[in-house]
Amino acid sequence: GHKRAANAGYAAIVAYGLVLDSVKPIEPSATNENDMSEYETWMRLKIASQLRFADTFLNDVRANQVLAKSAEELMALKEYQQAVNAAELLTRRNPPADMNLLKTAWLVIGHSQFELQGYSEAEIAYHNTLKLMPESDSGKHAIVERLAASVYKQAEQAMQDKNSLLAVEQYLRVAEVAPGSAISVTAQFDAANTLLNVENYSRAIVVLNSFRRDYPENSLTADIPAKLVVAYQNTEQWALAAEELSGIYNSSNDENVRR
């Protein structure tokens, strides 16, 4: 309640920063990996002071910046859940924090949730990050790739849970949420393979033909004719299967393949 309480609290944060400037970051001892370095010890004390400041002086003009810094530093320490907690506080501020701080908060949530394997939460966070980034932002491409990876990871989780149909939907969704991302190509191919494995040949044909049309130069395209032969034969589309077989015959230099 003292009139200088907020300034004193902020001065404590500044003082911790000065201590950190004089302490060289040292990795934990090789003999005892649980030992914190002196630098990390002071960093954790600084973060604790920052979180107290943001909690005690909610209306201080410095509170949002301090909260954003805490979230970033917690993520750097791999305290991912605590980083998410701090960043989420910032996203709920009223009045809202400025755009740059909100972008920082959502980015911390995205990266931290990804590390925690909360891929659907990471996807939401990356979407919110992109909304706050101008088209000219040079970092936008990297966030789109992370968004694509978050959806792809959801497909992998579905495969681990033996839910192949959900995995297919997630694989195909990669291109929807992150068109042009590098991983969207792999995801579409994985969707086709999964459909073949569960013997959903009709849908596999659609996905395989789309892949061949969209990525004619991709190295994976060379495997598509053989996969289409299987799908066409199992759906009794003999003429189309023969067309693919003729294409394989004409394009191969391997006598065994041609035979």
Side-chain angles (χ1 to χ4, degrees), residues 1 9 41 50 96 112 126 139 146 148 160-161 189 200 209 227 249-250 256:
T41 300
Q50 289 170 173
S112 297
Y126 289 134
R146 293 286 292 192
Q160 289 173 4
D161 294 337
F189 197 77
N200 189 337
N209 278 316
K227 294 178 183 295
Y249 174 87
N250 291 324
N256 288 325

Side-chain angles (χ1 to χ4, degrees), residues 83-129:
V84 168
N85 295 342
E88 285 182 341
L89 284 175
L90 189 55
T91 65
R92 294 196 295 266
R93 297 284 277 180
N94 190 21
D98 72 54
M99 189 175 296
N100 284 331
L101 292 180
L102 279 175
K103 183 176 74 172
T104 297
W106 283 116
L107 198 54
V108 167
I109 293 170
H111 290 340
S112 297
Q113 288 287 14
F114 194 95
E115 295 297 331
L116 292 168
Q117 298 182 12
Y119 300 118
S120 60
E121 293 85 355
E123 179 191 350
I124 293 168
Y126 289 134
H127 271 301
N128 287 326
T129 303

Side-chain angles (χ1 to χ4, degrees), residues 212 228-229 231-247:
R212 182 159 60 180
L228 281 171
V229 169
Y232 284 139
Q233 286 180 331
N234 278 280
T235 53
E236 299 185 1
Q237 298 183 69
W238 311 115
L240 290 172
E243 186 178 329
E244 295 297 333
L245 286 164
S246 295

Side-chain angles (χ1 to χ4, degrees), residues 7-22:
N7 284 340
Y10 193 77
I13 296 168
V14 173
Y16 276 122
L18 293 172
V19 172
L20 282 165
D21 287 342
S22 67

Side-chain angles (χ1 to χ4, degrees), residues 100-204:
N100 284 331
L101 292 180
L102 279 175
K103 183 176 74 172
T104 297
W106 283 116
L107 198 54
V108 167
I109 293 170
H111 290 340
S112 297
Q113 288 287 14
F114 194 95
E115 295 297 331
L116 292 168
Q117 298 182 12
Y119 300 118
S120 60
E121 293 85 355
E123 179 191 350
I124 293 168
Y126 289 134
H127 271 301
N128 287 326
T129 303
L130 289 168
K131 289 176 185 176
L132 296 166
M133 299 175 79
E135 288 298 325
S136 58
D137 195 315
S138 60
K140 198 162 189 175
H141 176 74
I143 305 305
V144 170
E145 292 294 338
R146 293 286 292 192
L147 172 60
S150 298
V151 181
Y152 189 87
K153 286 289 187 181
Q154 291 176 64
E156 289 186 330
Q157 286 181 329
M159 288 295 288
Q160 289 173 4
D161 294 337
K162 302 188 186 306
N163 191 339
S164 299
L165 294 180
L166 176 59
V168 168
E169 298 307 324
Q170 299 286 26
Y171 283 135
L172 294 176
R173 207 163 60 81
V174 174
E176 294 177 14
V177 302
S181 60
I183 203 170
S184 65
V185 180
T186 303
Q188 190 171 339
F189 197 77
D190 288 344
N193 282 332
T194 304
L195 287 165
L196 289 172
N197 289 336
V198 298
E199 300 180 356
N200 189 337
Y201 298 112
S202 296
R203 195 172 179 198

Side-chain angles (χ1 to χ4, degrees), residues 16 18-29 34-46 77:
Y16 276 122
L18 293 172
V19 172
L20 282 165
D21 287 342
S22 67
V23 178
K24 182 180 179 182
I26 300 173
E27 292 299 318
S29 168
N34 291 322
D35 286 344
M36 284 193 300
S37 68
E38 184 182 2
Y39 183 89
E40 184 179 335
T41 300
W42 283 107
M43 176 59 77
R44 290 181 181 275
L45 289 168
K46 174 175 175 281
L77 290 173

